[in-house]
Amino acid sequence: EAGVAQSPRYKIIEKRQSVAFWCNPISGHATLYWYQQILGQGPKLLIQFQNNGVVDDSQLPKDRFSAERLKGVDSTLKIQPAKLEDSAVYLCASSTSPRGAQETQYFGPGTRLLVL
Amino acid sequence: AQSVAQPEDQVNVAEGNPLTVKCTYSVSGNPYLFWYVQYPNRGLQFLLKYITGDNLVKGSYGFEAEFNKSQTSFHLKKPSALVSDSALYFCAVRDGDSSYKLIFGSGTRLLVRP
């Protein structure tokens, strides 16, 4: 079974530029998550999708971050404009359902973003 | 609100010795607890989880964890450490009664010496 795919793996941009990350979840997983992992910290949930609908985006900085999952499969996370403090690893995860007791989230390799 | 604490930034152990990585949690409902491992430049890999039932949970790569409700702990253990176990370990909790959010601890770096 193929895992969660993410691209690019690394990205370096200057502040105020825009950047986009792509994620393809495990086949058949209805729920997709985007996390931000700042160096030295645990991952923090940015947004959660159930199919193509947003379940939770309470911690997404909506003035600069946006995400979509138009066809309920792959997803794109965008930052525009980027700030220095956005430097982090952006992790995508997927699971079969958001509320099942057996839910396990499976993570992709992440995209490491450096904002100069 | 739910939270997770990993009190040790780093754990050092000699190869072949037992290892323990500590985790304590706080939730208002029933806790669902998870351990993940992260190798350099890799995403998080699932190790094991506790949902209900036996307090001792066995997972991947010989790891196990013990759920202790009275101490609100879920410590990760392995009887004999390998150098290849050196990595960053994250504990996470979800409040099974009221929330679907997975909250992560800050991580513990495990260093196994040859």
Side-chain angles (χ1 to χ4, degrees):
Chain A
E1 176 183 84
V4 177
Q6 289 188 248
S7 67
R9 291 296 310 277
Y10 305 92
K11 191 74 176 179
I12 301 174
I13 62 173
E14 295 188 351
K15 60 183 179 183
R16 291 188 289 274
Q17 286 186 325
S18 63
V19 64
F21 312 128
W22 174 83
C23 171
N24 189 263
I26 292 172
S27 178
H29 281 194
T31 309
L32 185 147
Y33 312 80
W34 283 103
Y35 287 86
Q36 181 191 57
Q37 185 181 15
I38 293 173
L39 187 65
Q41 299 181 18
K44 182 187 80 172
L45 180 69
L46 291 175
I47 188 167
Q48 177 181 338
F49 291 95
Q50 174 73 5
N51 296 311
N52 61 349
V54 175
V55 175
D56 184 351
D57 63 357
S58 59
Q59 298 193 80
L60 188 73
K62 297 180 188 62
D63 57 335
R64 297 183 301 105
F65 285 66
S66 65
E68 60 184 15
R69 194 186 184 198
L70 294 176
K71 297 182 179 179
V73 180
D74 55 352
S75 174
T76 303
L77 176 69
K78 296 180 181 178
I79 308 175
Q80 182 180 8
K83 292 185 175 181
L84 296 177
E85 58 261 36
D86 297 332
S87 294
V89 176
Y90 291 85
L91 295 165
C92 180
S94 69
S95 66
T96 54
S97 67
R99 297 181 186 274
Q102 300 302 315
E103 175 207 5
T104 296
Q105 295 182 23
Y106 295 93
F107 286 78
T111 296
R112 185 176 297 275
L113 173 67
L114 179 60
V115 182
L116 302 176
Chain B
Q2 57 203 76
S3 64
V4 177
Q6 293 183 244
E8 303 155 316
D9 289 337
Q10 182 162 314
V11 170
N12 298 305
V13 65
E15 188 174 30
N17 283 0
L19 69 88
T20 299
V21 182
K22 296 180 180 177
C23 170
T24 59
Y25 66 90
S26 174
V27 296
S28 55
N30 287 317
Y32 294 164
L33 294 151
F34 301 77
W35 276 102
Y36 286 85
V37 60
Q38 187 174 37
Y39 295 98
N41 300 314
R42 303 274 294 275
L44 276 68
Q45 295 180 31
F46 170 71
L47 280 178
L48 52 78
K49 65 182 177 184
Y50 171 83
I51 303 297
T52 187
D54 194 347
N55 288 344
L56 185 63
V57 179
K58 293 189 183 296
S60 304
Y61 312 120
F63 284 93
E64 57 189 28
E66 186 169 11
F67 171 64
N68 188 315
K69 188 173 182 178
S70 62
Q71 297 185 6
T72 62
S73 67
F74 189 56
H75 299 333
L76 182 70
K77 300 181 180 183
K78 187 174 183 181
S80 179
L82 299 172
V83 172
S84 57
D85 293 330
S86 298
L88 191 55
Y89 289 81
F90 288 95
C91 180
V93 68
R94 182 161 64 91
D95 185 334
D97 290 349
S98 64
S99 174
Y100 49 80
K101 278 187 179 180
L102 197 58
I103 303 298
F104 285 85
S106 57
T108 298
R109 186 166 302 280
L110 173 66
L111 181 61
V112 181
R113 306 184 307 273

